Amino acid sequence: MKRIGVLTSGGDSPGMNAAIRAVVRKAIYHNLEIYGIYYGYAGLINGDIKKLEIGSVGDIIHRGGTMLYTARCEEFKTLEGQKKGIEQLEKFGIEALVVIGGDGSFRGAEKLTEHGFPTIGVPGTIDNDISGTDYTIGFDTALNTVINAIDKIRDTATSHERTYVIEVMGRDAGDIALWSGLADGAESILIPEENYSMNDVVQRLMKGHERGKKHSIIVVAEGAGSGVEIAKEIKKRTNLETRVTVLGHIQRGGSPTASDRVLASRLGAYAVEILLDGKAGKMVGIEKNVLVSHDIDDALSRKHQIDQTMFKLSKELSI
Ligand code: ADP
């Protein structure tokens, strides 16, 4: 193998740059040529492809976002789009590809491998919702962004004796809500993976209120319901001053934490290593701090599970 490519796709996450840097530098370390594909699968179809050098990835390890940009591309979901992508890769003499992205991007990577083009997936998403890895690149940074925000909201919540509902990202996955709720002592954590009752939410609130608690925090993952609606319902049932904050896209940005930079560096480099070993159609991950690889189709067929012991603990500690 002489020449490989790298792209970022789907939702961006902090640490994608560190992963790109690792892929590029590890490839060059092993005397491979490395090409960057800009704007994800859209750029692949359009041939938006340039050679990268050691210096191309200088000064990006600490930056959020992705220097290769990202995109969503409906055309790549079609066989025709995928064939066009492979034609471009062949035109540039690229023999294998590293795709940094979430589960949607992994489906694209799986398709390329099925068509005979060796591709490896690196999990980059703030949601931590990919099976086959304990953590995804960007999760830790997003979590810290949420915690910083909740800490600030907690100050004003205490001053005004208010209840705050904080809506965080996670359409299908509750990890951001669960971890940030546990880290910030939330009264209730509402996640898409677990049923909840408003009676329970209200009971917990009232119990705290009765023992003189000045503030209450409820963290809700967007997939578990609308923060605005939940706040309205709480106000209606309790008459407590209730406010809502939807954190939105600030969770996607910012300088990656040390954990995310280290994870991205390890996973990016490992992706190149397993390509050199002749592997394809694999995703790289980390389990119990050991680098692992799994078949992408296997990983995609299994749903990421929340840690039930953590969910139980969050309830036990917020009595
Ligand atoms: P993420 O990778 O963050 O989950 P998306 O779900 O939007 O983001 O997927 C990113 C891109 O991956 C899509 O815009 C599309 O180009 C490609 N993709 C998603 N699903 C498939 C699929 N089933 N087959 C081929 N490509 C896909």
Side-chain angles (χ1 to χ4, degrees):
M1 199 183 301
K2 289 255 179 310
R3 188 176 290 179
I4 67 170
V6 58
L7 63 79
T8 50
S9 163
D12 66 337
S13 70
M16 278 186 163
N17 274 328
I20 296 167
R21 174 181 176 273
V23 171
V24 169
R25 297 261 167 107
K26 181 80 171 176
I28 294 172
Y29 177 83
H30 286 290
N31 298 315
L32 296 172
E33 287 183 341
I34 172 85
Y35 279 66
I37 294 127
Y38 290 75
Y39 298 99
Y41 294 124
L44 179 59
I45 289 175
N46 298 330
D48 195 350
I49 299 171
K50 289 184 194 80
K51 187 167 188 233
L52 299 174
E53 308 292 347
I54 297 172
S56 312
V57 290
D59 204 27
I60 64 165
I61 197 167
H62 61 301
R63 294 187 199 280
T66 156
M67 65 160 274
L68 291 176
Y69 304 100
T70 181
R72 294 204 157 88
C73 173
E74 281 305 307
E75 192 183 355
F76 200 72
K77 292 183 182 171
T78 66
L79 179 62
E80 204 192 10
Q82 293 153 15
K83 291 252 160 84
K84 277 191 202 166
I86 291 175
E87 273 167 28
Q88 291 288 1
L89 289 163
E90 284 169 352
K91 196 172 114 193
F92 281 84
I94 296 168
E95 295 155 277
L97 183 65
V98 176
V99 169
I100 305 164
D103 58 346
S105 304
F106 278 17
R107 282 177 217 286
E110 174 61 17
K111 287 289 171 204
L112 287 173
T113 307
E114 277 172 25
H115 302 320
F117 196 90
T119 305
I120 302 289
V122 175
T125 164
I126 63 165
D127 290 332
N128 207 36
D129 61 347
I130 295 184
S131 175
T133 186
D134 291 345
Y135 301 105
T136 58
I137 298 164
F139 172 60
D140 187 62
T141 307
L143 203 51
N144 279 283
T145 301
V146 171
I147 287 163
N148 286 333
I150 298 181
D151 285 347
K152 291 184 175 112
I153 290 166
R154 180 190 281 278
D155 289 344
T156 175
T158 307
S159 308
H160 288 277
E161 304 198 8
R162 276 177 186 153
T163 297
Y164 263 90
V165 175
I166 319 283
E167 185 186 305
V168 300
M169 280 186 164
R171 271 196 301 269
D172 305 307
D175 270 32
I176 293 180
L178 175 57
W179 284 64
S180 64
L182 185 58
D184 239 305
E187 260 64 36
S188 291
I189 301 171
L190 313 183
I191 54 176
E193 293 91 339
E194 295 289 325
N195 293 326
Y196 62 88
S197 82
M198 280 310 290
N199 279 345
D200 180 52
V201 172
V202 165
Q203 257 176 24
R204 282 171 176 277
L205 269 179
M206 291 315 287
K207 222 169 129 190
H209 190 66
E210 278 154 20
R211 71 173 165 86
K213 225 181 147 179
K214 299 254 181 272
H215 61 264
S216 298
I217 301 281
I218 292 158
V219 179
V220 50
E222 60 186 332
S226 146
V228 174
E229 293 307 316
I230 288 163
K232 265 193 210 155
E233 189 63 22
I234 289 171
K235 168 82 178 151
K236 199 171 95 190
R237 293 194 190 202
T238 64
N239 212 29
L240 292 174
E241 278 271 2
T242 308
R243 295 284 189 274
V244 56
T245 300
V246 179
L247 292 181
H249 280 80
I250 63 162
Q251 295 162 88
R252 285 266 190 85
S255 176
T257 58
S259 287
D260 271 332
R261 295 181 203 190
V262 170
L263 179 64
S265 301
R266 293 178 76 187
L267 292 182
Y270 191 53
V272 175
E273 226 169 83
I274 68 169
L275 264 183
L276 285 167
D277 279 350
K279 295 197 174 129
K282 301 268 184 192
M283 62 157 285
V284 292
I286 191 156
E287 288 174 335
K288 299 185 169 68
N289 205 25
V290 175
L291 295 173
V292 294
S293 66
H294 299 288
D295 288 337
I296 291 180
D297 55 355
D298 255 16
L300 287 175
S301 68
R302 276 179 281 123
K303 196 171 159 26
H304 166 79
Q305 304 288 337
I306 59 147
D307 185 330
Q308 286 294 339
T309 62
M310 272 179 60
F311 189 64
K312 186 164 168 275
L313 180 64
S314 75
K315 288 197 177 290
E316 290 167 354
L317 299 187
S318 64
I319 42 176

